Structures are given as structure tokens and as C-alpha cells.
Amino acid sequence: MADEEQLLSLLAIAEHGSISAAAEHLHRGQSAISERLRKLTELVGEPLYTREINGVKLTQAGAVLIPDIERLRRVLRDIDSIIRRRQRLMEGELNIVSTSLIANYYLPPFLTRFRQQYPGINLYIKSGERYWKDAAAGEVDVFFYEGDSDLPELPDYFKSVPWQDNEIVIVTPLQHPLAGRQNVSFEELESYPIIWREPGSAVRGAIEKEFRRRGIVPRHFIEVADIESVGTMINANLGIGFMSKRVLDKRSDWQVATATLESHQMVCLNFMAAPQPDRRSIMLQKFLEMIENPENLT
């Protein structure tokens, strides 16, 4: 049976292009890496790589193993993370990955309370889409995301649950025809340019779903990358937008007006992904108890 060191050595030469580079990455001698690869080759029964002028190249037999070895590496990282969590207990750190909107508008009250109660815990908060693709679940304690955001591949012991829904309001320039209106119909919205956030945001997903249900097709729109840009574009009288009331309540600096929609089925829903209870450190459990009970915040 192949052992993890043999398999990870094959992955290292695939990623780094040579035995010497793989040895440096794994902090082992070249002879040790070569011996691991020799034993793995004997076990498979055919060559796994060929030597070339500039390094090595995997054969088909070697390349077919790589996706499964990458999954093995993720599992091993997860196991290491579980052990570290158990070792940290009441001291150490929490690692949080979140979309920017949740980090800026939803999490701060919880983080403030947590720091007050547990000042010895270091918080690592990475917000923004660029952190999602390469985020290793085993190195993150909890994820917060909006709507249909694409999560990285999560281990089986992680569970995603809804977290913090909020009312959606129409946001308009101050002198807009819809400003201050109540029970605006969806049909009226077709006549105005719309400022969209990028696909994947909770509000946009909810609005588009309701538009499809009602057969509404916006004629003109501007798509931007973040909620701050939505506010800026509305301030500039470029169109109307949609956002959660929670966000708007925190942006008194925006010179905008609001309107409310007629009765609808839309929900602005955010999500949280965290390990099952038996896989959590004590500190993560304390943080999640606070997160899951917002009524305890004063």
C-alpha cells in the first residue's frame, strides 16, 4: 500500500517540476524523495514520470493520481487543523473568511463583544472574493457568505446553515420619482436603470429570482463589484439599486432615498459554514454561540 509520503512526493514534483525543487519544498534530501518515488513506481507497476532536460514530466499513469492526492493533502491539512484546535483550547486564534459585505456590515458587533470577553484570542479575518478560491477549509474556523457564493470544497464535517436574513429595500437618488414611495410595483422597476452588485450576492440573487417569477426583464443596468459602488452610483443619479436595510442603516453618509416594494417573497439570506460541534475548539464554540444568538447583543 502506498503511504502518504510517497504520494505527496509525487504531487510535489508535479507542482514544482523537478526532484530537487520537490525535495526543497518538502524539506527532505533528493535521495529520500527519489527513494519514495522509486517505491511508488514499483507499487504502481509502470513509470510515473520521465526525466527531461528541464526537470521531470508526469506520465499518464502519474497524472491520473494527482487529483486524488490533492484531496488527500486537503484531508491531512484538515486533520492537522483539528489537532491544533484541540491544543489551543482557551488560547490561540480564530480564522474567519467572509465576503466583504458581511465582514463590514454584519460581523463587527459580534467581533466587538467577542474581543471584550476573550481578549487573549487573536482574530484573523480575511474578507473579499480573492480569499475564497484558495481558502483551505482545514485552515479556517468559520466561513460567512452571501446567497449563492461559491464556497471552496468543504470537508464532510462542515455544515452550512442560514444566518442573518434582512429586509430588502429600493434605494434611489434623492430626487428620483420613486423616492419615498410605498408599495412600488415590480412592473414600474422595468423603466429605470438598475445598479447591480455582481452575481452571487444575496440581494441580487433574491431580486433576480423574484423578477423571473414575475416575468420582469430590466432594460438597462450597471454592474459593480461591491455595495460601496452601488451607493456611489446611486448618489451619482445613475440608477436605482437594492440592498438590505441593515446595510443602508449603517450608511447615513450616503445621500439617497428609499422606497418599499409591494408584497413579495424575497429574502436576503446570508449563510455560515462551520465544523460540526464535535470538531470545534472551545473558542470556536463560544464564538458560534454568540453568532447564533444575536439577541444577546446589547
Side-chain angles (χ1 to χ4, degrees):
M1 179 181 295
D3 65 38
E4 66 181 67
E5 291 188 343
Q6 295 167 0
L7 296 170
L8 293 177
S9 294
L10 182 65
L11 179 59
I13 68 166
E15 292 179 338
H16 297 279
S18 70
I19 292 177
S20 60
E24 182 177 354
H25 174 73
L26 295 173
H27 305 291
R28 295 290 185 272
Q30 291 188 41
S31 59
I33 301 301
S34 296
E35 180 62 16
R36 292 177 186 176
L37 294 171
R38 183 188 66 78
K39 290 181 178 179
L40 183 60
T41 300
E42 288 181 354
L43 186 63
V44 174
E46 58 181 300
L48 301 177
Y49 63 93
T50 58
R51 295 180 182 273
E52 298 187 344
I53 295 176
N54 296 323
V56 298
K57 179 180 179 181
L58 295 187
T59 64
Q60 183 177 1
V64 76
L65 296 174
I66 296 302
D68 288 322
I69 301 174
E70 289 175 334
R71 281 191 286 273
L72 170 65
R73 180 170 61 183
R74 286 195 292 271
V75 170
L76 292 172
R77 286 176 176 174
D78 292 341
I79 292 171
D80 286 341
S81 177
I82 292 168
I83 293 172
R84 289 198 300 272
R85 288 187 182 122
R86 292 300 183 189
Q87 290 173 337
R88 286 201 298 263
L89 297 178
M90 298 298 289
E91 296 182 354
E93 61 193 41
L94 281 179
N95 290 273
I96 299 169
V97 170
S98 170
T99 60
S100 295
L101 183 140
I102 293 177
N104 292 335
Y105 293 98
Y106 287 81
L107 285 179
F110 298 100
L111 297 173
T112 298
R113 174 61 64 85
F114 186 78
R115 287 288 293 168
Q116 289 171 346
Q117 294 187 15
Y118 306 102
I121 301 299
N122 294 321
L123 299 175
Y124 293 86
I125 303 167
K126 297 180 179 179
S127 61
E129 188 172 337
R130 69 190 183 95
Y131 290 110
W132 288 91
K133 181 178 179 181
D134 297 325
E139 299 172 358
V140 179
D141 291 296
V142 59
F143 293 88
F144 292 95
Y145 62 103
E146 306 163 53
D148 299 322
S149 299
D150 293 328
L151 277 172
E153 184 177 353
L154 296 177
D156 292 341
Y157 61 84
F158 265 72
K159 181 180 180 181
S160 290
V161 295
W163 181 74
Q164 292 283 319
D165 60 345
N166 200 236
E167 176 187 355
I168 295 174
V169 295
I170 305 172
V171 184
T172 74
L174 290 174
Q175 305 304 318
H176 194 274
L178 296 181
R181 288 266 310 275
Q182 303 293 315
N183 297 316
V184 175
S185 72
F186 280 83
E187 287 72 19
E188 290 180 83
L189 299 178
E190 286 186 301
S191 304
Y192 300 106
I194 292 176
I195 312 299
W196 283 130
R197 274 193 62 202
E198 74 284 359
S201 68
V203 170
R204 176 165 178 172
I207 292 287
E208 288 185 320
K209 182 177 179 180
E210 189 70 6
F211 276 9
R212 288 193 297 269
R213 193 177 75 83
R214 296 171 179 264
I216 304 298
V217 180
R219 298 172 186 171
H220 306 287
F221 61 88
I222 298 174
E223 183 176 292
V224 296
D226 52 48
I227 196 66
E228 283 70 28
S229 296
V230 174
T232 298
M233 296 294 177
I234 295 171
N235 276 335
N237 201 25
L238 290 171
I240 64 172
F242 306 90
M243 62 184 66
S244 70
K245 188 174 184 302
R246 178 188 297 269
V247 170
L248 192 59
D249 287 345
K250 293 181 178 293
R251 293 307 301 258
S252 58
D253 57 314
W254 286 344
Q255 300 300 306
V256 297
T258 62
T260 59
L261 283 161
E262 62 181 319
S263 179
H264 56 78
Q265 300 178 8
M266 297 185 301
V267 177
C268 173
L269 192 57
N270 300 323
F271 291 84
M272 173 179 68
Q276 299 283 9
D278 62 344
R279 298 292 190 107
R280 300 172 185 172
S281 69
I282 293 176
M283 276 297 93
L284 176 58
Q285 181 60 37
K286 295 293 185 183
F287 179 68
L288 294 182
E289 288 173 0
M290 189 178 297
I291 286 291
E292 292 164 354
N293 296 281
E295 65 273 9
N296 293 336
L297 292 180
T298 57

